[in-house]
Structure formats: structure tokens, C-alpha cells
Amino acid sequence: MSDIPTYGLHIDGQRVETGQWMEIRNPQNNVVVARVAKGGSEHIDQAVAAAKRSFESGVWSRLEPVDRSRTMAQIAAQLAEQIDTLLAAEIMANGATVRQAAGFHVGLASGHMNYFAELAARYEFERAVPPALYPTLGQSIIRREPIGVCGAITPWNFPLVLTLWKIGPAIAAGNSMVIKPDEKTPLSLLEFVRIAEECGLPPGVINVVPGVGEEAGVRLVEHSDVGKIAFTGSTAVGREIMSSAAATVKRVSLELGGKSPSILLDDADLDLAADGILFGCFLYSGQMCESGTRVLVPRSLHDEFVARLVDRAKTIKLGAIDDWETDLGPVISGAQQARIMELIRSGVDEGAKLVLGGGVPEGPEFEQGFWVEPTIFTEVTNDMRIAREEIFGPVLSVLVYDDEEEMLRIANDTIYGLAATIWSSDNERALDLSKKLQAGTVWINDHHQVNPSAPFGGFKQSGLGRELGVDCLDEYTEPKHVYLDLSGKRESRPYDLLLSHVD
């Protein structure tokens, strides 16, 4: 164990040992790269107590927003300064290539944290509404106050930046937090909390308890002192969290699964669309909730466009994740690899045509770890499992349509509604089509473009609530109405509706 780094839980500013360890394995070769203390329900209780003490002390919650903003800006600056440390911690656990991680997984962290820092300074924590003239003269003030202790359960695919989407608005509003990261990928978040406290974030404001969902996650959701749960993950687990949170009537926001359509119109730039659709589906081996895993193609363009997709996909280079020349890395785990391969087999069994990939790449470097080739199916219908289930792997299904009515029916025929993409050279036509798609984000002639100023979340069973955007602090505050009487006189008030006036 001495040669492998070890991490503890992080509670009230301290490393906490538990006597139990979880192994962190590099998905490219299945080698153990770190060990992390395993937290259970009792450690969640300790972390919630620390967060509650921190909140009630006012050491962070009662700071002026501009002071919270200043500390958060320092954290953002340090995320940029220590990007190499964060990159190493991220990719060794989740298998992202260093190029992708530098651009997305870790590269977005500093800018997004800086956005939340700016929001902390300019968010409208208090506003007056027009005075009431009847039944008496009075002034109402609306205050947005922090909830208290907020819990977050975060995923393995973007363990740093997707957690920051919760941390940023929560602490900007003055809350304290307990975070249960995915047990496979807690390293970059543990590095983050170290950086944050070095920048002046008080101990207890952010507490991190790695552990398994059935123990630590369940306790966090059920805890009566936790006022809000934010979760990113599968729709199935999201349903369970929503149900469990109802027992204590806590606020819940859920960012869940997707089966996003990429819609090719007959006037699209085919070269641009081919590259964009492959980027939309295969980036990070398709392990992104908004990946465009269904491409809808006009029948007249089908053969030509599929040929372009296959030719370009053949140029994707799989290899070592720390090599800047590598395009695509492994999937996260053996269990995930097995599930992807089972779904690929189901596509073949249900009559889809496999035109690229479908297996494990050949070569000694792929004999260990969890690898899946970029895979493309044609002759897919929307009732097949590969068209309906979220695969979370590098699998693209091509579906054909004959007219806009059929295209919209296929695109919207899903329990999900996270994102969609339109490829067209006619902006007006594409914008009009965007109104008819049931999706929380619609990209036109691009994919995976996340703007921190715009809300992110889904329709239908893709989630509840929104992250990012100018109003994201609303999810982490409670509105309070304060009424101030301005009449000053007993006779001007409506008390005689109950009590007769006595001279």
C-alpha cells in the first residue's frame, strides 16, 4: 500500500480514516492507482453535523456576498494554476484522454467556478416589490436566503466539473455542503476541496464522503438535516432519490439520462455534420448524458452520409489516455463494457446492420482495461433497444426519415429529453424546428457546447430543475417574504374584521 497514494474522507477540514478502503483503478489497464477511505452512513452523519455547525456559525453563510465572491474567484484562479494535478487525478480514475480532459473534464472547471464567483457578487439576494395600498399601506421585501446543508451525489464521467455545477451556486448562496462522489472517481474532487480550503474556504463548508450509494448515498438523501439534494446520474437512481427525499420533503434537482437525436436536414453541410455528429456521439467514448446517440438522416442522403460517417470514424485513434495524440480512451469499468457489448449484440439480434466496430480493438495495449471500438449501426428502428436505452458507450444508431413529421415523431419518441442537435445551412429553418423538439438544450450545427450563462437540464425523464444559468442560485436559496407596515395607525388596519374597535 505504501507505493500507492491513499486518500481519506474530508470532514470539517480534516482527513478522516475509516479502516476500510476502496480501490481506484485506471480503466485503460485495470491497474490500482489509488486507495480511498470508504465512508458509510455514520460518516455521512458526521459530515452533515460539520456542515450544519459551519452553516449556523455564520463563518461562511453570513459573509457579505462580495466576500464569498472574492474567495471563490481565488479558488477559480488556483484551479487553473493546478490544472496538471487535477488532470492526473481525473484521468487516472475515469479514463478520459488527457486532450479531452484538458478541454472539457478539467479545462472547464476554472471558468465555470469564476462564473459562479461573479454570480455571488451580483445575484439579487434582496429586492423590494411595489408597495401594497390595500387593505393597508405596506412594503414587501423578498429575500433569497441559503437553504442550509445541501447534499450532492455526483457521477464518475465528469467528477470535477459536474460537481462544481452544484458546489458553485450552493456556496455562492452561503450554504454548506456534503458531497458523495462516485466511488470510482473521487480523486479530483478531493484535490479540489484541498485547493478551496487553501484559498480560504472555511472548514466544514464542503465535506466529501466517498462511499457506495447503497450506504452513504442513501443516508445523505434520507438525512433530516439536509435541505436539498442535487444528483447527476441515471434516471433509475434519480427516481429512487426523488422517492426517498419525499419523506423529509427536501428539495431535489436531478440531471439524468438522455437519448439525444442528431437531426440531419437535407440542406446540411455534410462534411461539417459528419464530424460534428461523431464528436457528439463518440467524445469520451459516448459516456456523456447528452451524447447524440441517434442520428436521423433523410432517406435521400442515407447512403452517402453513412459512408462519410464510417470513413471519418475509422480515423479515430484509440490508445493511452496520457498521450496527447490519442482520440478515444476506454470506458469506465468492466461492468460498463459488458453492458455496452450486450446492447451491441441486441442490436444485431433485433435486425440492425453493424457497419463499423462492435467489438474490442485488437492489439496488446487493449488486452487489459475496458475498451470498446467506435460502433455504428444502420437499419435501426426506434423500437430497438439500441435506439431506446441509454447505452453510455461509443455506439451510434442511424435512423431514416422521409419527411419532417416522421422525423419529429422519431426524435421525440423517447422517455428522455435532455438535448438535441440540428444540422442545417438554413438558420431560420433550424430555429423553427428547435421549437418542436422536446429537449432542454438544442444545438444548431454543433454539439456539447455548454454555456455557464445558460441553463442545462432536461424535459421528461431527463431530469428535474436546471443547473448553470443566470438563475442557478435559485435552486439553492429559499425565498422569504418580509412585510413592513407603513400605515402606522390602528384604525387603518383591518382588525375590525375580527375585533371591534375600542376607543
Side-chain angles (χ1 to χ4, degrees):
M1 183 177 291
S2 59
D3 294 334
I4 298 174
T6 62
Y7 295 76
L9 315 182
H10 190 92
I11 299 175
D12 207 13
Q14 300 295 317
R15 173 175 170 143
V16 175
E17 306 289 357
T18 67
Q20 298 184 68
W21 298 95
M22 300 182 295
E23 292 181 337
I24 307 301
R25 292 179 176 271
N26 187 328
Q28 78 173 344
N29 53 24
N30 202 26
V31 170
V32 176
V33 292
R35 290 185 173 90
V36 177
K38 180 183 179 183
S41 58
E42 68 274 25
H43 305 107
I44 291 292
D45 289 347
Q46 294 171 21
V48 171
K52 185 177 180 180
R53 286 194 303 271
S54 167
F55 179 77
E56 292 179 347
S57 75
V59 65
W60 182 258
S61 59
R62 289 197 289 272
L63 280 182
E64 290 296 320
V66 67
D67 294 324
R68 292 199 294 266
S69 173
R70 188 176 298 113
T71 298
M72 292 174 67
Q74 292 172 356
I75 295 171
Q78 277 303 301
L79 293 179
E81 284 289 323
Q82 300 191 39
I83 189 170
D84 289 341
T85 298
L86 293 166
L87 281 172
E90 185 103 346
I91 70 174
M92 75 169 66
N94 76 350
T97 68
V98 66
R99 198 165 86 237
Q100 290 172 12
F104 280 84
H105 299 255
V106 176
L108 293 177
S110 178
H112 285 201
M113 178 55 76
N114 201 57
Y115 175 76
F116 296 129
E118 293 171 356
L119 277 186
R122 58 183 169 87
Y123 183 72
E124 194 172 36
F125 284 97
E126 185 173 306
R127 64 184 174 88
V129 299
L133 303 178
Y134 178 85
T136 63
L137 180 64
Q139 177 65 60
S140 290
I141 298 168
I142 310 300
R143 291 178 181 155
R144 306 242 16 151
E145 299 185 351
I147 292 170
V149 178
C150 295
I153 300 175
T154 59
W156 50 259
N157 58 344
F158 283 74
L160 179 59
V161 75
L162 291 187
T163 306
L164 293 188
W165 288 9
K166 299 159 181 58
I167 290 173
I171 67 172
N175 296 286
S176 292
M177 298 195 76
V178 176
I179 302 166
K180 204 296 285 183
D182 188 279
E183 62 272 20
K184 295 182 288 298
T185 57
L187 304 184
S188 56
L189 182 60
L190 289 166
E191 293 289 355
F192 166 82
V193 74
R194 170 189 61 78
I195 291 169
E197 291 182 357
E198 288 175 353
C199 291
L201 187 76
V205 175
I206 298 177
N207 305 274
V208 182
V209 182
V212 298
E214 294 83 357
E215 299 172 14
V218 166
R219 179 56 182 156
L220 185 58
V221 174
E222 293 176 346
H223 204 295
S224 60
D225 285 336
V226 175
K228 159 74 188 274
I229 287 288
F231 170 74
T232 296
S234 73
T235 295
V237 175
R239 294 188 194 107
E240 295 176 6
I241 288 173
M242 194 172 181
S243 177
S244 297
T248 49
V249 198
K250 55 171 53 72
R251 297 178 66 175
V252 175
S253 57
L254 305 171
E255 199 273 279
L256 307 177
K259 196 67 183 175
S260 303
S262 291
I263 299 167
L264 184 79
L265 298 186
D266 56 14
D267 59 5
D269 178 329
L270 298 187
D271 287 332
L272 174 67
D275 280 6
I277 287 168
L278 294 175
F279 175 78
C281 181
F282 292 154
L283 184 68
Y284 188 43
S285 295
Q287 299 175 117
M288 300 170 71
C289 52
E290 86 282 14
S291 293
T293 54
R294 295 181 298 152
V295 55
L296 281 56
V297 179
R299 189 175 302 276
S300 62
L301 293 176
H302 176 270
D303 292 351
E304 177 186 358
F305 191 65
V306 167
R308 289 173 188 251
L309 286 176
V310 170
D311 286 346
R312 286 296 282 151
K314 287 179 179 178
T315 69
I316 295 172
K317 179 183 177 183
L318 283 73
I321 59 175
D322 58 354
D323 184 345
W324 284 85
E325 299 301 315
T326 296
D327 299 319
L328 201 66
V331 298
I332 185 67
S333 67
Q336 183 65 16
Q337 181 193 43
R339 182 176 184 276
I340 294 166
M341 299 307 295
E342 191 271 329
L343 280 162
I344 290 172
R345 288 192 295 272
S346 81
V348 174
D349 292 344
E350 292 182 353
K353 182 179 179 181
L354 187 62
V355 296
L356 182 72
V360 175
E362 296 181 355
E365 67 270 38
F366 306 118
E367 292 176 357
Q368 305 297 322
F370 316 116
W371 298 88
V372 178
E373 294 175 314
T375 298
I376 298 176
F377 278 103
T378 61
E379 300 181 19
V380 179
T381 57
N382 217 38
D383 58 347
M384 295 178 179
R385 288 182 64 196
I386 56 173
R388 302 205 70 78
E389 296 185 26
E390 185 178 40
I391 300 174
F392 237 56
V395 181
L396 179 64
S397 295
V398 180
L399 298 95
V400 175
Y401 69 89
D402 289 307
D403 54 38
E404 182 176 298
E405 181 181 357
E406 183 182 22
M407 174 262 288
L408 284 169
R409 178 182 59 77
I410 294 171
N412 290 331
D413 180 20
T414 171
I415 65 170
Y416 301 111
L418 188 56
T421 301
I422 301 166
W423 299 91
S424 173
S425 60
D426 185 335
N427 289 345
E428 184 176 351
R429 182 186 181 192
L431 288 167
D432 181 66
L433 178 59
S434 72
K435 301 173 186 177
K436 304 171 187 177
L437 294 170
Q438 298 168 354
T441 297
V442 178
W443 291 291
I444 297 173
N445 294 327
D446 215 335
H447 207 116
H448 295 312
Q449 298 304 315
V450 177
N451 180 350
S453 299
F456 184 85
F459 287 23
K460 298 187 280 189
Q461 294 187 42
S462 281
L464 182 68
R466 293 293 185 270
E467 296 186 304
L468 304 179
V470 296
D471 301 317
C472 64
L473 268 68
D474 290 358
E475 295 277 356
Y476 293 88
T477 56
E478 291 283 10
K480 176 185 285 185
H481 173 204
V482 178
Y483 177 84
L484 174 64
D485 175 77
L486 298 177
S487 67
K489 299 178 181 178
R490 161 63 176 78
E491 57 269 24
S492 66
R493 298 170 187 176
Y495 297 171
D496 56 0
L497 295 177
L498 175 67
L499 302 167
S500 298
H501 181 68
V502 178
D503 291 329

